[in-house]
């Protein structure tokens, strides 16, 4: 079997990270629009705020259902095919959502959002694709660069709500769907990028390198298996994501109530979309903006320490939501901290999962991680609507805090190797 020189592997890795980063910029635009508009569209079409969380739940259910099949496709045919397929499904989903809004069909809206969620499963795989050929000492950094790239599109997506609505009116689109025009263009561009440029395939290359010799496999950090640490990593990532998704899913609805009740006067639709758009944009900036810092910290301090740092920020976010959640400024601070906590926990958790698994075992465990992450978030988002209606925004924050405590309590299970090696600490 032909071996690949270390210098050539590093060059392939640099090119892979650049392509994945560009794809995440494009994918982030669609993600930001879906997060901001999903709950509002669901509430509008269903006529019941308690059902608004089903939009985010449908996104995460779609991602959960397709994460494992997509990881199997990646293991057999490579990341290029799996990422391209994800973008194609997202395109179908966006078109379905626009149609659902036009015909005023809540069930059809959920179908479209499920397809968008299936596409998001592909976007989630991008961060793992960045680790396929990464050196262990730089795994967190490379993963976080791809995660950070979503910031550009993720922040732009919510901020495009108001101009999107104006553009939608010009072309005769249904209310609250104008910004999906930007999503359609971005998804097509990402699909073409992955299909044409992601060569050689990083996962297939990593499997070939690992099969060449034990030394080559060790260079990728995939010689030893640590299933207990891998299980904790999966729990930490899925739990942190569930906390983030459940609170974020209900924030647009909560802000809408606050805007309409401001000073006893009804706010205009533009006021509501602007408030929601700015708040979600700040949240998405928190999710992705400092991810390179958390990646570097995960490489230097150790994965577990950064996971715990993420839990501290999640707890602070929930505390603000509990005690200051009835003020727009309080909600914004809570959402920024929520995004930062999510970023630290998921970047370090994903690096830990890769670190704890052999090269051959990684795709399967990564698929399981993404599936459970999405499934727990779907349950959280679906229940969040009921909790918000019954106990308010503060009650939602208090409920989510239980998961944070559980992750902290179980964190010793994630420690592997020597404490002298920060990559395994």
């Amino acid at each position: 079997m032909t071996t690949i020189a270390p210098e050539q592997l590093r060059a392939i890795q640099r090119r892979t990270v650049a392509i994945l980063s560009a794809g995440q910029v494009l994918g982030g635009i669609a993600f930001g629009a879906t997060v901001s508009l999903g709950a509002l569209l669901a509430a509008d079409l269903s006529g019941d705020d308690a059902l608004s969380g089903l939009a985010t739940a449908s996104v995460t259910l779609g991602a959960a259902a397709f994460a494992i099949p997509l990881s199997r496709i990646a293991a057999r045919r490579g990341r290029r095919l799996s990422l391209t397929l994800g973008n194609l499904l997202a395109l179908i989903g966006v078109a379905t959502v626009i149609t659902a809004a036009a015909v005023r069909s809540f069930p059809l809206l959920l179908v479209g959002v499920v397809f968008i969620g299936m596409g998001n499963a592909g976007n989630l795989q991008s961060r793992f694709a960045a680790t396929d050929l990464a050196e262990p000492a730089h795994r967190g950094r490379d993963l976080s660069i791809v995660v950070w790239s979503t910031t550009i599109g993720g922040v732009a997506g919510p901020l495009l709500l108001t101009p999107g609505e104006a553009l939608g009116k010009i072309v005769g689109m249904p209310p609250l769907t104008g910004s999906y025009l930007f999503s359609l263009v971005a998804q097509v561009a990402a699909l073409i990028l992955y299909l044409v440029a992601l060569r050689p395939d990083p996962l297939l290359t990593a499997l070939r390198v690992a099969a060449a010799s034990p030394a080559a496999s060790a260079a990728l950090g995939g010689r030893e298996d640590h299933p207990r640490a891998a299980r904790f990593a999966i729990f930490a990532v899925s739990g942190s994501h569930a906390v983030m998704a459940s609170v974020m899913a209900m924030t647009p609805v909560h802000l809408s109530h606050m805007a309409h009740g401001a000073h006893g006067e009804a706010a205009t639709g533009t006021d509501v979309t602007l408030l929601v758009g700015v708040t979600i944009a700040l949240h998405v900036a928190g999710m992705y903006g400092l991810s390179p810092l958390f990646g570097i910290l995960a490489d230097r301090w150790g994965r577990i320490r950064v996971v715990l740092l993420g839990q501290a920020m999640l707890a602070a976010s929930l505390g603000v939501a509990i005690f200051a959640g009835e003020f727009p400024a309080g909600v914004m601070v809570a959402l920024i901290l929520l995004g930062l906590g999510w970023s630290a926990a998921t970047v370090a958790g994903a690096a830990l999962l890769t670190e704890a698994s052999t090269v051959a075992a990684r795709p399967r465990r990564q698929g399981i991680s993404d599936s459970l992450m999405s499934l727990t978030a779907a349950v959280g988002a679906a229940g969040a609507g009921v909790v918000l209606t019954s106990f308010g925004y503060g009650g939602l924050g208090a409920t989510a805090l239980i998961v944070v405590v559980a992750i902290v309590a179980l964190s010793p299970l994630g420690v592997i190797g020597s404490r002298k090696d920060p990559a395994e600490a």
Side-chain angles (χ1 to χ4, degrees), residues 56-233:
T56 302
S58 296
V59 170
T60 50
L61 280 174
F66 209 62
I68 293 176
L70 210 58
S71 67
R72 290 176 178 172
I73 292 172
R76 295 174 182 173
R77 302 289 300 277
R79 301 286 190 190
R80 185 168 64 92
L81 178 61
S82 64
L83 294 177
T84 301
L85 180 57
N87 277 280
L88 180 60
L89 291 169
L91 276 172
I92 296 172
V94 171
T96 304
V97 166
I98 295 173
T99 303
V103 301
R104 306 289 301 174
S105 172
F106 179 62
L108 186 60
L109 171 72
L110 296 183
V111 171
V113 175
V114 166
F115 271 91
I116 292 175
M118 290 180 178
N120 193 44
N123 282 337
L124 290 173
Q125 279 200 3
S126 294
R127 72 195 195 286
F128 287 126
T131 68
D132 289 333
L133 294 172
E135 298 176 354
H138 302 302
R139 181 169 289 125
R141 181 201 64 186
D142 290 355
L143 183 152
S144 63
I145 288 173
V146 174
V147 172
W148 175 86
S149 301
T150 310
T151 308
I152 301 173
V155 172
L159 294 179
L160 290 173
L161 293 184
T162 300
E165 284 302 290
L167 180 61
K169 289 180 180 178
I170 294 175
V171 300
M173 293 183 66
L176 297 176
T177 63
S179 62
Y180 279 114
L181 285 175
F182 301 117
S183 298
L184 286 170
V185 175
Q187 289 289 0
V188 169
L191 187 151
I192 295 173
L193 174 70
Y194 289 138
L195 189 62
V196 174
L198 196 58
R199 299 171 184 271
D201 189 278
L203 179 55
L204 296 182
T205 303
L207 290 171
R208 181 155 59 96
V209 169
S213 69
S217 179
L220 296 179
R223 184 172 55 184
E224 298 181 0
D225 196 41
H226 303 274
R228 187 181 69 175
R231 287 193 292 270
F232 170 76

Side-chain angles (χ1 to χ4, degrees), residues 294 297 301 304-314 341 344-345:
F294 296 133
L297 290 178
W301 289 3
I304 295 297
R305 291 191 183 100
V306 179
V307 168
L308 292 176
L309 174 63
Q311 302 314 301
M313 288 186 285
L314 287 177

Side-chain angles (χ1 to χ4, degrees), residues 222-244:
R223 184 172 55 184
E224 298 181 0
D225 196 41
H226 303 274
R228 187 181 69 175
R231 287 193 292 270
F232 170 76
I234 292 172
F235 174 68
V237 170
S238 60
S240 300
H241 190 67
V243 169
M244 184 277 293

